[in-house]
Amino acid sequence: MKIEIWSDIVCPFCYIGKKRLEKALENFPHRDEVSIIWKSYQLHPQFPKDTAGIPAIDYIKNAKGLTEEETLGMMQQVQSIGKSLDIDFDFEKSLIVNTLNAHRLIHLAQETNQGNALKERLLKAHFSEGLDVNNHAILVQLAVEIGLDITAVEEVLTTDRFTYEVTQDIQEGVNLGLRGVPFFVFNQKFGIAGAQPLEMFEQTLRQAYDDAKPNIIMNNNEGPTCDVETGNCE
């Protein structure tokens, strides 16, 4: 069974959705038959590619017109959900950056079945460690840490390799009607929009395993997402 996931590294609900899917898979009897494919999406494609990251709190505060106290309060609920899933969200350290290069490296990692490992490492680096996941030296360090070949990593970062694939992922998501991330598609038929409850992932896994027809059937519910037009997460 194939699960395709559209998400961005700077999207907190993408991290939550990833963890909920993994928990659902823990109790899924056919988990060894599941293949996860990470699809790229950029919430902030307009952010300059060669600019250092800016504090996420400042970015969110300015985007929503909130005070810093209001912004931190808004993040508390997300942090609470994260703790239940062993995610240590530290929004005071997180940096908003352009994520194109990180997505390109995930494409590289998927060639050797290491896409999930790199995705997890990038999410942790961004949300828990406050690392700039657009900085080339940091990207090399993280990619090598999970086992990627340093020569291949540096080749990607010094060329435009996988840029086309990232663009294609985004367009494919748009064509499917993607309105927010995370967005999960099971066996090209069943879709989950947002970081929905664990039970929804468990139910969809069972449905998708039993039915492999090609058209996507969306459930009527949506979990919290990061909006693809504004970049806001709520």
Side-chain angles (χ1 to χ4, degrees):
M1 181 169 66
K2 181 170 68 173
I3 304 175
E4 297 166 290
I5 310 170
W6 277 261
S7 74
D8 198 3
I9 295 123
V10 296
C11 162
F13 295 117
C14 294
Y15 205 177
I16 290 169
K18 178 179 184 295
K19 291 295 189 181
R20 285 180 174 163
L21 172 62
E22 290 170 350
K23 281 192 172 295
L25 284 169
E26 286 176 7
N27 298 317
F28 185 58
H30 310 289
R31 59 185 174 275
D32 292 339
E33 301 174 46
V34 174
S35 172
I36 293 177
I37 300 171
W38 290 101
K39 296 285 191 173
S40 307
Y41 203 90
Q42 287 191 271
L43 289 172
H44 311 291
Q46 76 285 354
F47 199 91
K49 298 184 182 72
D50 300 320
T51 301
I54 63 173
I57 292 296
D58 292 344
Y59 189 92
I60 295 167
K61 179 178 65 176
N62 294 332
K64 291 180 173 289
L66 303 174
T67 66
E68 183 166 339
E69 183 178 357
E70 289 171 333
T71 304
L72 290 172
M74 186 180 68
M75 295 294 100
Q76 286 180 350
Q77 184 178 6
V78 178
Q79 289 173 319
S80 178
I81 296 171
K83 285 181 180 178
S84 71
L85 296 166
D86 297 322
I87 302 172
D88 181 19
F89 282 118
D90 191 339
F91 292 105
E92 294 186 69
K93 288 172 29 179
S94 298
L95 301 170
I96 296 297
V97 299
N98 187 294
T99 54
L100 174 61
N101 287 327
H103 283 298
R104 294 197 297 128
L105 285 182
I106 291 172
H107 273 277
L108 172 69
Q110 289 190 134
E111 291 190 335
T112 53
N113 296 317
Q114 294 169 289
N116 201 57
L118 183 57
K119 183 75 172 187
E120 176 69 25
R121 189 65 189 92
L122 288 165
L123 287 165
K124 182 179 180 181
H126 171 70
F127 284 110
S128 302
E129 300 170 2
L131 297 179
D132 184 334
V133 292
N134 185 43
N135 179 282
H136 282 207
I138 290 173
L139 286 173
V140 170
Q141 173 190 332
L142 297 176
V144 171
E145 185 179 310
I146 64 97
L148 291 183
D149 177 73
I150 188 170
T151 301
V153 171
E154 290 177 339
E155 179 191 359
V156 170
L157 294 177
T158 55
T159 65
D160 65 353
R161 189 180 179 199
F162 295 118
T163 298
Y164 175 78
E165 286 81 354
V166 171
T167 302
Q168 287 296 102
D169 281 353
I170 294 170
Q171 186 59 53
E172 184 181 359
V174 171
N175 292 344
L176 288 173
L178 180 154
R179 299 192 303 275
V181 289
F183 184 68
F184 304 79
V185 176
F186 296 68
N187 269 353
Q188 297 186 313
K189 178 175 182 180
F190 296 90
I192 290 181
Q196 294 197 28
L198 175 63
E199 295 75 19
M200 181 61 71
F201 286 97
E202 293 173 333
Q203 174 187 330
T204 306
L205 279 169
R206 293 191 296 269
Q207 289 178 316
Y209 187 80
D210 293 334
D211 192 333
K213 294 180 181 179
N215 297 316
I216 295 174
I217 296 176
M218 292 292 298
N219 61 66
N220 293 324
N221 301 317
E222 286 195 16
T225 65
C226 292
D227 188 88
V228 298
E229 293 185 2
T230 66
N232 290 335
C233 300
E234 56 188 1

